[in-house]
Every structure is written in structure tokens, then in C-alpha cells.
Amino acid sequence: MKEINSNNETIFFSIIVPVYNVERYLDQCLESILTQNYSNFEVLLINDGSKDSSLEICKKYKQIHDKIILIDKENGGVSDARNTGLKTANGEYIFFCDSDDYWVGSDTLLNINNLIKESKADLIIHEESRFFSKRDIVYKHNQKFLKNKKGNFTDEIINLVYYDLYAPSPCDKIIKRSILIENELFFPTDKRSEDIEWTGKLMYHIETFSIYSKSFYFYRQARKGSFTTNIDEKNVIDIYTMVKNGLKNQQTNSEKMNLAVENYWACIYVIILKEFYVLSPKWRKEIWNDLYDWKYLLQWNRNLKVDKVMFFYKYLSFRFLIFFLNGYRIKTSFYKKHRASK
């Protein structure tokens, strides 16, 4: 692993960008970050063994911008790249940005800096916009349903989980680096869909939060070659293992937190049900009893996505519900790819 330069300036924000074969999107991603009208930040580019021209693009930006720390390493996956960035970062707060996504607005860092100075929050949550094409961008804006957009995390965690504001992604969160380092909240390198486990563990360590009102992060949907576009058997089995471990986690002293944790894993449980027929017959048989035992997770008011499933579960048996969700998954996948191809 080779680190190419760094600077010793006192840093408030560290923006970690894993890079792997994204030559088509990398310029847009970096330009959107580097044009901020705020200066107290660093960008950590972790080239994860790219085979295209991504490393050369990183080097080009490194020559121009002294805020960039470039680390060139052998391919180890996105989790390893993020962990490398996190261990190298100097900032008080951490952003994660995928290198095929981009930001909108030159005042984002300045505004978030002001929000943190005012709220002193451990965690800032912002809502992503889903980018399918230039003429097809969706912003969910679920924060409008919250009465309290800052304060004690445990007091509001049930609503944050229900409205999909506390969701399994690092890219919609800005977190105090000390919380991640001191609690060793690194991404698992032996699992797919690693964001799910990481987010599930993070919620135990946050005391205060604030929500940033603007959507600046544009999340590219159904990109060809993206690991999030296609789910295979290993993904599903890893998610199943995460749910199993997550439901066994030690209870806290807070009933609200315990319920929120269960609600979070209920939402992830729905993913397994949707992806059940990706599995081989052997694996379907292997995990069936657990899935059946976890039916208690299918209840109203856990999460918006679970509520959608409950609408159909009223009329369907458990086994047929899984079959129905599989058809829904296939239809949604084709629809997303169609939208992204326009």
C-alpha cells in the first residue's frame, strides 16, 4: 500500500472516497467536492486496485489540489478501502462518498460546519437523492414527517428508523471520527452488503443527532458494474447472518433503543424475503426455519418498507408472500435499469 503525499493542516472534515474502475464518473465526483466554498477539509482517495484509468485521474487531481490524500493499494474491496481511509483520516468528522456518486451545491460543507457548531451532534443525517438520469432524480424528503430534527438520538431513533432516515448506508451520514475509532466501527471485509452490519452497530454509540435539511448527495442508481446492482447468493447469506447476529445483540437499558434495533433488523429481514429465490434449494432449506421463526418481525409501524409488505401480508400466506416479493424484486430491478438507461 502506497500513500502519496499528505498535509499537516488541522482538518475538520475528512471525506473518504473509495475508487475502483470508475473512470467514467470520477471527474464529476471529485469536482463536486473540491469546488466547496469551505476550506477546512481533506479528501482521501483510496484507489482499490483499479484496472482502468481511475488512478491516473486521482493523480491528476492530487497534483492540482493539496487537500487530497491519495492512497494506492491492492484490491481488497470497498470495506477495506473505507477502513484504510478511516485509519488515515485526520478530520473531526467523517464523510463517506462513493466515487460514482456526486454532490450538488458549493456551500454544503460550510452549511454542515455551521450546523455542527450549533448542535454539537455526534451524527448528522442527510437524505440522498436517487439519480437515474439527468431528467429523472428522486428526493424522498422523509424528514418532513419528523417533529424533532435534532437532539437526543435515543429519544428519536424509532422515528428515524421508521421513516428510513436511519438507513443502512454510510453515505447519508456524517459521523464524529472519535466514535468510529474508539469503538472500532470498521466495515466488515469478509461480507457483502457490509453497510447493513456497520449501520446496525453504529446506532448503539450515538448520543446526539441533527438532520441537514438539504439533499446534496446524488446516489447513482442501477449503474452497470456496480456491486449494489446485482445481488447473488453470498449477499443474501451474509445478510441472513447479519440479521441473525443483530437480533441476538445484547439489550440496552433503553426500551426505545431496543425496539428501534428490532425495527431496523425487521427492515433488513424483508430484504432476505425479497431475495429468497436467489438462493439455491440447499440454502433455502438451510435458513427456512429461521425465516419462519422471525415472522414476528412483520408488524405494522416498524418501518415504511415493512408497512408496504404488511399490506400484502394481510392477504397472503407467509410462503406465498415470499414468492410475491420475489416477483416484485424482479420487476423493480428491470424498472430501475430501464429508468437509468434513458
Side-chain angles (χ1 to χ4, degrees), residues 134-221:
K134 291 181 179 179
R135 288 186 282 183
D136 188 359
I137 300 171
V138 179
Y139 173 42
K140 62 184 182 183
H141 198 57
N142 286 352
Q143 61 183 269
K144 65 187 176 185
F145 299 114
L146 288 186
K147 292 182 179 179
N148 300 317
K149 296 182 174 62
K150 62 181 179 180
N152 184 282
F153 183 69
T154 300
D155 287 346
E156 200 63 32
I157 183 59
I158 291 176
N159 288 327
L160 292 172
V161 171
Y162 179 77
Y163 289 113
D164 231 17
L165 289 162
Y166 190 83
S169 170
C171 295
D172 63 357
K173 299 172 181 65
I174 304 148
I175 315 109
K176 271 187 179 177
R177 181 171 63 92
S178 60
I179 291 174
L180 300 178
I181 297 298
E182 290 169 9
N183 296 288
E184 298 185 346
L185 292 172
F186 299 106
F187 294 86
T189 56
D190 58 342
K191 297 184 179 76
R192 304 255 182 100
S193 302
E194 62 286 326
D195 298 352
I196 292 173
E197 180 178 298
W198 180 86
T199 307
K201 290 181 177 180
L202 175 66
M203 61 197 305
Y204 289 98
H205 302 283
I206 301 298
E207 293 184 3
T208 56
F209 81 101
S210 188
I211 293 180
Y212 180 58
S213 59
K214 297 180 181 179
S215 179
F216 67 90
Y217 190 101
F218 279 53
Y219 174 28
R220 201 177 299 273
Q221 300 290 291

Side-chain angles (χ1 to χ4, degrees), residues 161-164 263 267 301-308:
V161 171
Y162 179 77
Y163 289 113
D164 231 17
N263 292 352
C267 184
N301 300 319
R302 289 193 184 275
N303 172 271
L304 288 171
K305 293 187 177 80
V306 180
D307 278 0
K308 289 180 181 179

